[in-house]
Amino acid sequence: MMHRALELALLGPAYGANPQVGAIILDKDLNIIAEGWHKGAGTAHAEVDALSKLPNGVPEGATAVVTLEPCNHTGRTGPCAVALIESGISRVVYASKDPGNESANGSKTLLDAGVEVIQGVLEEEADKQSVVWLTAMKKQRPYITLKWAQTLDGRTAASDKTSKWISGTESREDVHLRRSQLDAILVGTGTVKYDNPDLTARKPDGTRYEHQPLRVVVGNTELAQDLRVFNEDAPTVHLKTHDVKDVLAHLWDRGMRHVLVEGGAQLASEFISLGLFDEILIYQAPLLIGGTNVAVTEIGISTMKDALALEFVEIKKLGPDVFIRAIPKEGS
Ligand SMILES: NC(=O)c1ccc[n+]([C@@H]2O[C@H](COP(=O)([O-])OP(=O)(O)OC[C@H]3O[C@@H](n4cnc5c(N)ncnc54)[C@H](OP(=O)(O)O)[C@@H]3O)[C@@H](O)[C@H]2O)c1
């Protein structure tokens, strides 16, 4: 049943302030009588969505199976723990614990009201599925993905600053899909000046995905407003600062929980030096261009013993390229 609830969770949007959550209501014989999922900030939470599909109420002895601990928080919608208690549910089974400061502790509210609570069912799988939102809530800043395309010799641009195209079609399609599932794309003013990128999320046929992340340009240089990043295809902000913590705080306050830093090297290096990243995605092309435009510049490390240790969690061929996903090594 929890596997089914996890599937339902994925029907909701991956971007935005709220997590993807799925919920199922079972009758006393453990037959599914309602299913629900969260469709994004401002809409019913998964438990309430499932309950709404039972116009005659919850039968006696019913169980709710939810992927995340029911919330205890009154935001734009009421607390789910209370909605479950008022529905007369007998038992609540959930997977991940809610780390949210305001929303946590729903299980205590349920227990205090005499509802049986079983926690931690498929917890590891659920935590993995919601790693972006859970990490953001724990760290109280957006989950940060750094991404770049590099040649086999680790260059991200040729000496004349051109970088189109290092990676192949399959890699670029993968990036566009990822963009459509997160809140903001960050680039430095250098990348906007040299590349004049669109930074929109486009499908392989060239049309735009329904969701477009906010385009965020970081740096003090005044930029011509006819650059593509300022077109009408997606929202854009230009933040005239070098303080990336301020940038993250600004995006957090706007409800953003997952940002993609797309470079260039100066901006990416700043995030790395401050330890502000949760994963690095590299699209490595079988090209050699030499020169000095490396993916990462100065990150404050001068000797091997201080090297930042990461671990590869995914490596696969993407067309002619190799895709690598690495995360900071635990304890480093
Ligand atoms: N292969 C790839 O994946 C990829 C991706 C992106 C870019 N590129 C290539 O990278 C090159 C541009 O890289 P880049 O390193 O020059 O550009 P960048 O990192 O995009 O921009 C550098 C600018 O960012 C601003 N900035 C904002 N916060 C900063 C901070 N904390 N520290 C330092 N600078 C900060 C500064 O601008 P102000 O002076 O305006 O304050 C700085 O000059 C281009 O050739 C582009 O083609 C390649």
Side-chain angles (χ1 to χ4, degrees), residues 42-230:
T43 69
H45 288 187
E47 302 88 322
V48 174
D49 185 43
L51 290 172
S52 74
K53 294 175 184 158
L54 295 171
N56 300 323
V58 165
E60 225 180 287
T63 297
V65 177
V66 197
T67 57
L68 177 68
E69 179 179 1
C71 75
N72 216 13
H73 162 62
T74 306
R76 278 189 267 181
T77 56
C80 293
V82 173
L84 287 164
I85 293 164
E86 286 174 353
S87 77
I89 206 98
S90 302
R91 184 164 51 164
V92 172
V93 181
Y94 69 85
S96 299
K97 279 197 195 62
D98 186 344
N101 294 338
E102 289 172 325
S103 49
N105 243 346
S107 58
K108 183 171 182 309
T109 304
L110 290 165
L111 285 167
D112 289 349
V115 177
E116 185 190 349
V117 176
I118 299 172
Q119 63 180 55
V121 174
L122 289 191
E123 186 173 7
E124 212 179 305
E125 199 168 328
D127 283 359
K128 201 169 162 204
Q129 185 168 304
S130 290
V131 66
V132 167
W133 187 81
L134 291 170
T135 304
M137 296 314 284
K138 276 180 207 142
K139 296 188 175 173
Q140 290 289 295
R141 56 136 176 95
Y143 184 90
I144 302 166
T145 301
L146 304 184
K147 166 254 148 186
W148 59 79
Q150 69 178 33
T151 57
L152 203 51
D153 51 349
R155 270 48 178 193
T156 51
S159 316
D160 68 354
K161 295 280 190 182
T162 54
S163 61
K164 284 179 183 163
W165 295 109
I166 288 175
S167 53
T169 313
E170 292 85 349
S171 294
R172 298 206 302 278
E173 285 176 5
D174 188 69
V175 170
H176 281 272
L177 178 63
R178 287 173 190 274
R179 284 178 178 171
S180 75
Q181 295 168 345
L182 43 78
D183 297 301
I185 304 174
L186 277 61
V187 288
T189 51
T191 295
V192 173
K193 276 188 296 185
Y194 294 119
D195 291 0
N196 192 15
D198 265 299
L199 298 181
T200 50
R202 298 184 300 281
K203 297 177 190 169
D205 66 6
T207 59
R208 270 176 276 144
Y209 282 101
E210 194 183 328
H211 170 69
Q212 293 294 321
L214 177 70
R215 300 176 291 191
V216 184
V217 181
V218 188
N220 296 318
T221 304
E222 285 296 341
L223 294 167
Q225 290 303 300
D226 59 356
L227 285 160
R228 287 199 193 106
V229 75
F230 297 114

